[in-house]
Each structure stands twice: as C-alpha cells, then as structure tokens.
Amino acid sequence: LEELTKSYPDNPQFHYFIALAHLDLRKPKKALVSLDKAIALKSDFSSAHFQKGVALDMLKNWPAAEKSFRDAVHADTTNASAYNYIGYSLAERNEQLFEARRMIERALELDPYNSAYLDSLGWLNYREGNIAPAIRHLTASLARIHDPVVYDHLGDCYRSTSDWNNAALAYSRSLELKPDSRDVQRKLKELETRLVITSPARK
C-alpha cells in the first residue's frame, strides 16, 4: 500500500486503505494522517470521514469524532454505520438521548435487521428506563449474533428489574465470549449472593 501511494499519490482510495491497516494495528494517529490525505483529495469521501471519526474516538476526542461522523452522513445520507455510531455513543454517554434515538432509528431505517443497530436501540431504551423494549431489542440482536457486549447490556437490563437469575446468565454468556472482561466479572460476582443454590445461573 505504501508503494501504491508513492506511485499514485493522488488516489484517495490508497490512502484510505493504509488508514484501515493502521486502525487494525491500533495506531489511530497514523491512520489520521492517511485519512486527512484521502479527504483532502476527495472531500465527499464518506467512508474516510467515518473512519476518521473512529480514529478520533480511539484517541478519546469525542467532539472531533462526532463532527467527523456527521461529515460522513452529510457526504452520504445512507451511511448507516455513521448514524449508528453517533446514536450509540450518545446513549453510552447518557446524553442527548432524543438525538441518539433519531440517529439510531435512521440507521435501522437503512438496515432494519442489523444486530449492532438493534443493540444500540436496546441500550438506548435501557438508558431511557424502557426496560421491556430494551430486552426485546437486545434479544433480537442476539438472535442474529452472539456478542459479549450485547449479553452485558442484556444483563444490565435484567439486573435493573431485580431478575438476578437471568442477569447472571447473561453476564455468564458474556464472559464465555470475552473471559477477560473485568467489568462483567465484577457484576457477576456481585450477583452471587442473590442466587439460590439451585439456580441454573449459579451452576
């Protein structure tokens, strides 16, 4: 890829591909250099704007990241990933929840069966205190893909209703997929005293 950018420095796609490689290597600062080059060559490069948002978010610069995601949807109003990233991030921060819903619902309009977007909607409902629809959307997400984060979210929903057994089962399944999650380990440990000895979750 580096040889290609040297030979074809005016091709934004090659700079974009190098940026993706740097992101895979967890090197967001290097990715930003390539993404800025790609965007300078093609200002309406929606995917490049999106990945720039990802890189900035990795660097804990959410205000700049949000701007890049909004630049991505401005360049391409069908960029569902960008809508979802904005919505989920706002829900995760528990702020601007009305805007978060607008973004997530737009993503689902574009891709109604996407498991990540269903998780986002479920997590948003949890933040809003709407636990029943939250559980419904998270369960629908898990019907399509088994993801440790979604199981963690589901566990939080059950825990908020004092459904200790289902909460513990969800956390356990999250740990099966990601055993090194200390946050989920802590949550599961806190539930142990609430589980009866014959509980399937305890087993």
Side-chain angles (χ1 to χ4, degrees):
L1 288 170
E2 287 175 350
E3 289 300 319
L4 280 172
T5 55
K6 290 176 183 176
S7 301
Y8 305 96
D10 294 331
N11 188 314
Q13 200 74 33
F14 297 153
H15 293 291
Y16 174 73
F17 287 145
I18 284 185
L20 294 182
H22 284 310
L23 287 173
D24 285 341
L25 294 169
R26 308 295 294 180
K27 296 180 178 180
K29 290 182 180 179
K30 288 188 175 182
L32 284 173
V33 173
S34 296
L35 289 166
D36 283 338
K37 290 178 181 178
I39 292 168
L41 292 165
K42 190 176 188 298
S43 62
D44 62 345
F45 198 160
S46 182
S47 295
H49 285 293
F50 175 80
Q51 295 300 338
K52 182 177 179 178
V54 172
L56 289 165
D57 196 28
M58 289 171 67
L59 293 168
K60 310 299 182 185
N61 187 351
W62 171 245
E66 183 180 5
K67 180 183 181 303
S68 289
F69 292 129
R70 292 188 184 277
D71 287 342
V73 298
H74 179 74
D76 178 7
T77 57
T78 66
N79 191 329
S81 295
Y83 286 113
N84 179 69
Y85 207 117
I86 295 169
Y88 179 80
S89 297
L90 291 175
E92 182 70 5
R93 288 167 169 76
N94 204 17
E95 59 187 34
Q96 300 181 55
L97 297 184
F98 181 84
E99 176 68 359
R101 178 170 291 279
R102 190 174 75 89
M103 293 289 105
I104 294 168
E105 288 181 348
R106 174 58 178 154
L108 282 165
E109 284 178 9
L110 294 164
D111 191 354
Y113 301 109
N114 186 295
S115 59
Y117 306 166
L118 288 169
D119 169 55
S120 296
L121 185 57
W123 191 235
L124 172 63
N125 275 297
Y126 169 79
R127 290 298 200 193
E128 293 176 331
N130 302 318
I131 304 304
I135 291 173
R136 185 169 65 251
H137 292 306
L138 293 169
T139 302
S141 175
L142 290 168
R144 291 170 172 78
I145 186 171
H146 294 287
D147 184 276
V149 174
V150 185
Y151 276 117
D152 183 22
H153 289 166
L154 185 61
D156 286 351
C157 288
Y158 283 126
R159 186 175 63 170
S160 72
T161 63
S162 302
D163 187 344
W164 314 123
N165 286 329
N166 278 323
L169 283 171
Y171 291 142
S172 296
R173 287 171 182 148
S174 178
L175 285 176
E176 287 174 5
L177 297 168
K178 190 178 179 183
D180 61 344
S181 176
R182 293 185 179 181
D183 186 47
V184 179
Q185 290 172 2
R186 175 186 56 77
K187 293 176 183 178
L188 190 58
K189 186 71 175 178
E190 290 172 353
L191 289 181
E192 283 185 4
T193 58
R194 299 180 181 274
L195 300 176
V196 297
I197 195 65
T198 57
S199 165
R202 181 176 286 279
K203 291 179 182 180

